[in-house]
Amino acid sequence: MTSPSTAPTLYRATYLHTPRSPFTHPDALDAQSDGGLLVQDGVIRAAGPFADIRAAHPDAPVTDLRGGLLLPGFIDTHVHYPQVRVIGGLGLPLLDWLDQCALPEEARMADLAYARGVARDFIGGLIGAGTTTALVFGSHFAGAVDAFFEEATRTGLRAVTGLVVSDRLLRDELHTTPQRAYDEGRALIERWHGAGRTLYAVTPRFSLSASEGILDACAALMRDFPGVRFTSHINENTREIQTVRDLFPRARDYLDTYERAGLVGRHSVLAHNVHPTDRELGVMAAHRCTAAHCPCSNSALGSGFFPLRRHLDAGVHVSLGSDVGGGTGFSLLKEGLQAHFMQNLMPGGVPLSPAHLLYLATLAGAEALDLPHTGFFEPGRAFDAVHLRPAPGTPLDAVFRHAASPERALAAAFATGTPADVARVWIGGDTVLGG
Ligand SMILES: Nc1nc2[nH]cnc2c(=O)[nH]1
Ligand SMILES: [Zn+2]
């Protein structure tokens, strides 16, 4: 049975989006200075110049969003739910930061009431930054993962997440066994994968904390439940990489620890990849998996410069992640700016235009997660959107009022925009913030 149609709304706005990748299509950015998006039942029905859409739909009520910028909702492809309350542990390299900042907080997630509060803080932070879809590193505790899915369902967030599993070198209370990892994962998948806007991601923390037995349990879930996603970390920090080499003497490299278990494929998103080998890049491209680039985290933890050029040359798909709480906040505008800075500063870096940054923050994530109904504005896609409207008197407001083109306004949004400039957020046509 189909539900009855609701009345359409015609949004009038300056909007920008990237229907293609600017890394392969130089003219990928579509900017409508006076655009129209007709939305009905949460889905975009028509898109283009306002005058054209108006002429075709003269009776549709108009919501006027002029004076700001309307963008597709941001898609964060690497962010940790249990770490929202420990953002800002600056000055430590990865393994020390995990021991001193992240893991003690992750142990608190055993307490379900605590986890529920964290889920509210976390999802509030994502939506407040204009993020409408996220691939989320969950918790080591199944109850806390349930709490996350419940909060995502309540708020309407599009979320892909799962139970984080490890069986060595963390803290005892965060360790599990292959059998328990499989059984708890299976129960969560049966409850949440494909329920409303939520999907499941099989999530070993990283090979450093995962034995071959745990990775095999992850592979069994991937085999038994086709369509679930896979995520983990790779090649983030030189000490981490050396430890993984020592733990897996038969593996050719870090990627091989996942590859041998059968975990590398089209639905795999591997975070960081700051220090890859050429073999790893070739295999990632061949399997069409994604590297989630987290530039603020790479800077805060001193992990290194992401070799974007080598990824592009090898044909590896790249998306963007905030990596909260190794990262410094939820804004993908800030991640875009930091990516731009780092590519500017590193020898052989890729010059990133505002179109590249918008693509990385939107469609690149939709492609990584294989969510073809999100990522940009076209008829048939869900209306997931963020309206940036800076407060009067702020510098960004001054730029918006005087910008020579929508592209200039977009560049300023990445340069200086923050969650304070997010006025309204829609997911599937529902207003989830502002309005
Ligand atoms: N940045 C980051 N890297 C990791 N590698 C394993 N766990 C983590 C984590 O929580 N954050
Ligand atoms: Zn991470």
PDB file of all heavy atoms in Angstrom, residues 25-51:
ATOM      1  N   HIS A  25      35.498  15.405 -14.075  1.00  0.00           N
ATOM      2  CA  HIS A  25      34.723  16.301 -14.947  1.00  0.00           C
ATOM      3  C   HIS A  25      34.985  17.740 -14.515  1.00  0.00           C
ATOM      4  O   HIS A  25      34.461  18.182 -13.480  1.00  0.00           O
ATOM      5  CB  HIS A  25      33.223  16.008 -14.833  1.00  0.00           C
ATOM      6  CG  HIS A  25      32.839  14.644 -15.302  1.00  0.00           C
ATOM      7  ND1 HIS A  25      32.982  13.523 -14.515  1.00  0.00           N
ATOM      8  CD2 HIS A  25      32.324  14.219 -16.483  1.00  0.00           C
ATOM      9  CE1 HIS A  25      32.571  12.464 -15.185  1.00  0.00           C
ATOM     10  NE2 HIS A  25      32.171  12.859 -16.388  1.00  0.00           N
ATOM     11  N   PRO A  26      35.760  18.503 -15.279  1.00  0.00           N
ATOM     12  CA  PRO A  26      36.118  19.865 -14.875  1.00  0.00           C
ATOM     13  C   PRO A  26      34.895  20.767 -14.647  1.00  0.00           C
ATOM     14  O   PRO A  26      34.963  21.708 -13.866  1.00  0.00           O
ATOM     15  CB  PRO A  26      36.978  20.376 -16.033  1.00  0.00           C
ATOM     16  CG  PRO A  26      37.381  19.174 -16.806  1.00  0.00           C
ATOM     17  CD  PRO A  26      36.382  18.084 -16.542  1.00  0.00           C
ATOM     18  N   ASP A  27      33.781  20.495 -15.331  1.00  0.00           N
ATOM     19  CA  ASP A  27      32.607  21.364 -15.190  1.00  0.00           C
ATOM     20  C   ASP A  27      31.555  20.728 -14.272  1.00  0.00           C
ATOM     21  O   ASP A  27      30.352  20.901 -14.460  1.00  0.00           O
ATOM     22  CB  ASP A  27      31.998  21.639 -16.571  1.00  0.00           C
ATOM     23  CG  ASP A  27      31.584  20.334 -17.250  1.00  0.00           C
ATOM     24  OD1 ASP A  27      31.965  19.246 -16.733  1.00  0.00           O
ATOM     25  OD2 ASP A  27      30.876  20.388 -18.271  1.00  0.00           O
ATOM     26  N   ALA A  28      32.019  20.021 -13.247  1.00  0.00           N
ATOM     27  CA  ALA A  28      31.087  19.232 -12.421  1.00  0.00           C
ATOM     28  C   ALA A  28      30.160  20.083 -11.563  1.00  0.00           C
ATOM     29  O   ALA A  28      29.083  19.629 -11.186  1.00  0.00           O
ATOM     30  CB  ALA A  28      31.880  18.290 -11.515  1.00  0.00           C
ATOM     31  N   LEU A  29      30.567  21.306 -11.236  1.00  0.00           N
ATOM     32  CA  LEU A  29      29.745  22.111 -10.325  1.00  0.00           C
ATOM     33  C   LEU A  29      28.550  22.708 -11.062  1.00  0.00           C
ATOM     34  O   LEU A  29      28.692  23.328 -12.104  1.00  0.00           O
ATOM     35  CB  LEU A  29      30.594  23.254  -9.736  1.00  0.00           C
ATOM     36  CG  LEU A  29      29.891  24.112  -8.683  1.00  0.00           C
ATOM     37  CD1 LEU A  29      29.691  23.330  -7.383  1.00  0.00           C
ATOM     38  CD2 LEU A  29      30.674  25.392  -8.407  1.00  0.00           C
ATOM     39  N   ASP A  30      27.363  22.506 -10.501  1.00  0.00           N
ATOM     40  CA  ASP A  30      26.159  23.167 -11.018  1.00  0.00           C
ATOM     41  C   ASP A  30      25.731  24.202  -9.976  1.00  0.00           C
ATOM     42  O   ASP A  30      25.441  23.841  -8.836  1.00  0.00           O
ATOM     43  CB  ASP A  30      25.047  22.135 -11.239  1.00  0.00           C
ATOM     44  CG  ASP A  30      23.746  22.782 -11.721  1.00  0.00           C
ATOM     45  OD1 ASP A  30      23.812  23.854 -12.376  1.00  0.00           O
ATOM     46  OD2 ASP A  30      22.665  22.236 -11.431  1.00  0.00           O
ATOM     47  N   ALA A  31      25.735  25.462 -10.363  1.00  0.00           N
ATOM     48  CA  ALA A  31      25.356  26.539  -9.443  1.00  0.00           C
ATOM     49  C   ALA A  31      24.152  27.268 -10.016  1.00  0.00           C
ATOM     50  O   ALA A  31      24.180  27.735 -11.157  1.00  0.00           O
ATOM     51  CB  ALA A  31      26.522  27.517  -9.275  1.00  0.00           C
ATOM     52  N   GLN A  32      23.086  27.344  -9.244  1.00  0.00           N
ATOM     53  CA  GLN A  32      21.878  28.068  -9.664  1.00  0.00           C
ATOM     54  C   GLN A  32      21.731  29.290  -8.748  1.00  0.00           C
ATOM     55  O   GLN A  32      21.432  29.130  -7.557  1.00  0.00           O
ATOM     56  CB  GLN A  32      20.645  27.172  -9.521  1.00  0.00           C
ATOM     57  CG  GLN A  32      20.659  25.926 -10.385  1.00  0.00           C
ATOM     58  CD  GLN A  32      20.420  26.235 -11.860  1.00  0.00           C
ATOM     59  OE1 GLN A  32      19.866  27.280 -12.216  1.00  0.00           O
ATOM     60  NE2 GLN A  32      20.846  25.335 -12.727  1.00  0.00           N
ATOM     61  N   SER A  33      21.956  30.465  -9.287  1.00  0.00           N
ATOM     62  CA  SER A  33      21.877  31.643  -8.398  1.00  0.00           C
ATOM     63  C   SER A  33      20.431  31.923  -7.997  1.00  0.00           C
ATOM     64  O   SER A  33      20.176  32.392  -6.890  1.00  0.00           O
ATOM     65  CB  SER A  33      22.538  32.862  -9.020  1.00  0.00           C
ATOM     66  OG  SER A  33      22.064  33.019 -10.318  1.00  0.00           O
ATOM     67  N   ASP A  34      19.470  31.612  -8.873  1.00  0.00           N
ATOM     68  CA  ASP A  34      18.049  31.683  -8.484  1.00  0.00           C
ATOM     69  C   ASP A  34      17.428  30.354  -8.901  1.00  0.00           C
ATOM     70  O   ASP A  34      16.850  30.234  -9.978  1.00  0.00           O
ATOM     71  CB  ASP A  34      17.357  32.875  -9.158  1.00  0.00           C
ATOM     72  CG  ASP A  34      15.924  33.057  -8.643  1.00  0.00           C
ATOM     73  OD1 ASP A  34      15.523  32.374  -7.675  1.00  0.00           O
ATOM     74  OD2 ASP A  34      15.199  33.905  -9.214  1.00  0.00           O
ATOM     75  N   GLY A  35      17.585  29.366  -8.021  1.00  0.00           N
ATOM     76  CA  GLY A  35      17.175  28.011  -8.369  1.00  0.00           C
ATOM     77  C   GLY A  35      15.848  27.622  -7.757  1.00  0.00           C
ATOM     78  O   GLY A  35      15.355  28.255  -6.821  1.00  0.00           O
ATOM     79  N   GLY A  36      15.280  26.535  -8.293  1.00  0.00           N
ATOM     80  CA  GLY A  36      14.045  25.987  -7.748  1.00  0.00           C
ATOM     81  C   GLY A  36      14.166  24.484  -7.579  1.00  0.00           C
ATOM     82  O   GLY A  36      14.701  23.791  -8.462  1.00  0.00           O
ATOM     83  N   LEU A  37      13.699  23.985  -6.436  1.00  0.00           N
ATOM     84  CA  LEU A  37      13.656  22.538  -6.198  1.00  0.00           C
ATOM     85  C   LEU A  37      12.245  22.196  -5.750  1.00  0.00           C
ATOM     86  O   LEU A  37      11.791  22.651  -4.689  1.00  0.00           O
ATOM     87  CB  LEU A  37      14.650  22.140  -5.107  1.00  0.00           C
ATOM     88  CG  LEU A  37      16.139  22.278  -5.447  1.00  0.00           C
ATOM     89  CD1 LEU A  37      16.993  22.151  -4.185  1.00  0.00           C
ATOM     90  CD2 LEU A  37      16.560  21.244  -6.477  1.00  0.00           C
ATOM     91  N   LEU A  38      11.548  21.420  -6.563  1.00  0.00           N
ATOM     92  CA  LEU A  38      10.198  20.990  -6.195  1.00  0.00           C
ATOM     93  C   LEU A  38      10.307  19.666  -5.448  1.00  0.00           C
ATOM     94  O   LEU A  38      10.878  18.696  -5.960  1.00  0.00           O
ATOM     95  CB  LEU A  38       9.331  20.815  -7.450  1.00  0.00           C
ATOM     96  CG  LEU A  38       7.859  20.537  -7.138  1.00  0.00           C
ATOM     97  CD1 LEU A  38       7.133  21.837  -6.793  1.00  0.00           C
ATOM     98  CD2 LEU A  38       7.175  19.837  -8.314  1.00  0.00           C
ATOM     99  N   VAL A  39       9.765  19.646  -4.223  1.00  0.00           N
ATOM    100  CA  VAL A  39       9.904  18.468  -3.347  1.00  0.00           C
ATOM    101  C   VAL A  39       8.520  17.970  -2.956  1.00  0.00           C
ATOM    102  O   VAL A  39       7.655  18.761  -2.540  1.00  0.00           O
ATOM    103  CB  VAL A  39      10.707  18.830  -2.080  1.00  0.00           C
ATOM    104  CG1 VAL A  39      10.759  17.639  -1.116  1.00  0.00           C
ATOM    105  CG2 VAL A  39      12.116  19.281  -2.448  1.00  0.00           C
ATOM    106  N   GLN A  40       8.305  16.675  -3.116  1.00  0.00           N
ATOM    107  CA  GLN A  40       7.049  16.061  -2.676  1.00  0.00           C
ATOM    108  C   GLN A  40       7.332  14.694  -2.074  1.00  0.00           C
ATOM    109  O   GLN A  40       8.126  13.920  -2.630  1.00  0.00           O
ATOM    110  CB  GLN A  40       6.090  15.914  -3.864  1.00  0.00           C
ATOM    111  CG  GLN A  40       4.699  15.488  -3.440  1.00  0.00           C
ATOM    112  CD  GLN A  40       3.724  15.493  -4.611  1.00  0.00           C
ATOM    113  OE1 GLN A  40       4.119  15.277  -5.748  1.00  0.00           O
ATOM    114  NE2 GLN A  40       2.462  15.730  -4.322  1.00  0.00           N
ATOM    115  N   ASP A  41       6.710  14.414  -0.934  1.00  0.00           N
ATOM    116  CA  ASP A  41       6.919  13.149  -0.231  1.00  0.00           C
ATOM    117  C   ASP A  41       8.402  12.873   0.011  1.00  0.00           C
ATOM    118  O   ASP A  41       8.857  11.726  -0.076  1.00  0.00           O
ATOM    119  CB  ASP A  41       6.293  11.987  -1.019  1.00  0.00           C
ATOM    120  CG  ASP A  41       4.790  12.133  -1.134  1.00  0.00           C
ATOM    121  OD1 ASP A  41       4.180  12.721  -0.220  1.00  0.00           O
ATOM    122  OD2 ASP A  41       4.238  11.675  -2.154  1.00  0.00           O
ATOM    123  N   GLY A  42       9.157  13.938   0.303  1.00  0.00           N
ATOM    124  CA  GLY A  42      10.563  13.787   0.646  1.00  0.00           C
ATOM    125  C   GLY A  42      11.506  13.625  -0.523  1.00  0.00           C
ATOM    126  O   GLY A  42      12.719  13.503  -0.338  1.00  0.00           O
ATOM    127  N   VAL A  43      10.951  13.611  -1.748  1.00  0.00           N
ATOM    128  CA  VAL A  43      11.753  13.339  -2.937  1.00  0.00           C
ATOM    129  C   VAL A  43      11.734  14.557  -3.857  1.00  0.00           C
ATOM    130  O   VAL A  43      10.707  15.226  -4.002  1.00  0.00           O
ATOM    131  CB  VAL A  43      11.182  12.101  -3.682  1.00  0.00           C
ATOM    132  CG1 VAL A  43      11.912  11.846  -4.987  1.00  0.00           C
ATOM    133  CG2 VAL A  43      11.256  10.875  -2.780  1.00  0.00           C
ATOM    134  N   ILE A  44      12.881  14.840  -4.468  1.00  0.00           N
ATOM    135  CA  ILE A  44      12.965  15.944  -5.427  1.00  0.00           C
ATOM    136  C   ILE A  44      12.227  15.525  -6.708  1.00  0.00           C
ATOM    137  O   ILE A  44      12.473  14.449  -7.253  1.00  0.00           O
ATOM    138  CB  ILE A  44      14.441  16.265  -5.741  1.00  0.00           C
ATOM    139  CG1 ILE A  44      15.167  16.701  -4.458  1.00  0.00           C
ATOM    140  CG2 ILE A  44      14.549  17.335  -6.825  1.00  0.00           C
ATOM    141  CD1 ILE A  44      16.679  16.703  -4.570  1.00  0.00           C
ATOM    142  N   ARG A  45      11.292  16.359  -7.141  1.00  0.00           N
ATOM    143  CA  ARG A  45      10.512  16.050  -8.361  1.00  0.00           C
ATOM    144  C   ARG A  45      10.976  16.867  -9.556  1.00  0.00           C
ATOM    145  O   ARG A  45      10.774  16.460 -10.708  1.00  0.00           O
ATOM    146  CB  ARG A  45       9.021  16.331  -8.119  1.00  0.00           C
ATOM    147  CG  ARG A  45       8.454  15.634  -6.896  1.00  0.00           C
ATOM    148  CD  ARG A  45       8.374  14.130  -7.098  1.00  0.00           C
ATOM    149  NE  ARG A  45       7.947  13.476  -5.865  1.00  0.00           N
ATOM    150  CZ  ARG A  45       7.789  12.171  -5.707  1.00  0.00           C
ATOM    151  NH1 ARG A  45       8.030  11.350  -6.710  1.00  0.00           N
ATOM    152  NH2 ARG A  45       7.415  11.659  -4.566  1.00  0.00           N
ATOM    153  N   ALA A  46      11.527  18.062  -9.299  1.00  0.00           N
ATOM    154  CA  ALA A  46      12.018  18.902 -10.398  1.00  0.00           C
ATOM    155  C   ALA A  46      13.097  19.809  -9.840  1.00  0.00           C
ATOM    156  O   ALA A  46      13.034  20.211  -8.672  1.00  0.00           O
ATOM    157  CB  ALA A  46      10.879  19.733 -10.990  1.00  0.00           C
ATOM    158  N   ALA A  47      14.108  20.119 -10.681  1.00  0.00           N
ATOM    159  CA  ALA A  47      15.223  20.956 -10.235  1.00  0.00           C
ATOM    160  C   ALA A  47      15.720  21.783 -11.404  1.00  0.00           C
ATOM    161  O   ALA A  47      15.781  21.286 -12.534  1.00  0.00           O
ATOM    162  CB  ALA A  47      16.358  20.075  -9.698  1.00  0.00           C
ATOM    163  N   GLY A  48      16.082  23.046 -11.139  1.00  0.00           N
ATOM    164  CA  GLY A  48      16.611  23.899 -12.201  1.00  0.00           C
ATOM    165  C   GLY A  48      16.401  25.354 -11.861  1.00  0.00           C
ATOM    166  O   GLY A  48      16.159  25.709 -10.704  1.00  0.00           O
ATOM    167  N   PRO A  49      16.463  26.217 -12.887  1.00  0.00           N
ATOM    168  CA  PRO A  49      16.208  27.639 -12.637  1.00  0.00           C
ATOM    169  C   PRO A  49      14.793  27.829 -12.077  1.00  0.00           C
ATOM    170  O   PRO A  49      13.846  27.186 -12.547  1.00  0.00           O
ATOM    171  CB  PRO A  49      16.340  28.268 -14.034  1.00  0.00           C
ATOM    172  CG  PRO A  49      17.162  27.293 -14.814  1.00  0.00           C
ATOM    173  CD  PRO A  49      16.834  25.939 -14.275  1.00  0.00           C
ATOM    174  N   PHE A  50      14.658  28.703 -11.086  1.00  0.00           N
ATOM    175  CA  PHE A  50      13.368  28.887 -10.435  1.00  0.00           C
ATOM    176  C   PHE A  50      12.269  29.217 -11.451  1.00  0.00           C
ATOM    177  O   PHE A  50      11.153  28.682 -11.374  1.00  0.00           O
ATOM    178  CB  PHE A  50      13.453  29.992  -9.369  1.00  0.00           C
ATOM    179  CG  PHE A  50      12.116  30.305  -8.751  1.00  0.00           C
ATOM    180  CD1 PHE A  50      11.562  29.442  -7.811  1.00  0.00           C
ATOM    181  CD2 PHE A  50      11.400  31.434  -9.129  1.00  0.00           C
ATOM    182  CE1 PHE A  50      10.313  29.705  -7.249  1.00  0.00           C
ATOM    183  CE2 PHE A  50      10.152  31.699  -8.584  1.00  0.00           C
ATOM    184  CZ  PHE A  50       9.610  30.835  -7.642  1.00  0.00           C
ATOM    185  N   ALA A  51      12.581  30.086 -12.390  1.00  0.00           N
ATOM    186  CA  ALA A  51      11.548  30.540 -13.344  1.00  0.00           C
ATOM    187  C   ALA A  51      10.976  29.335 -14.116  1.00  0.00           C
ATOM    188  O   ALA A  51       9.758  29.266 -14.351  1.00  0.00           O
ATOM    189  CB  ALA A  51      12.124  31.573 -14.301  1.00  0.00           C
TER     190      ALA A  51
END
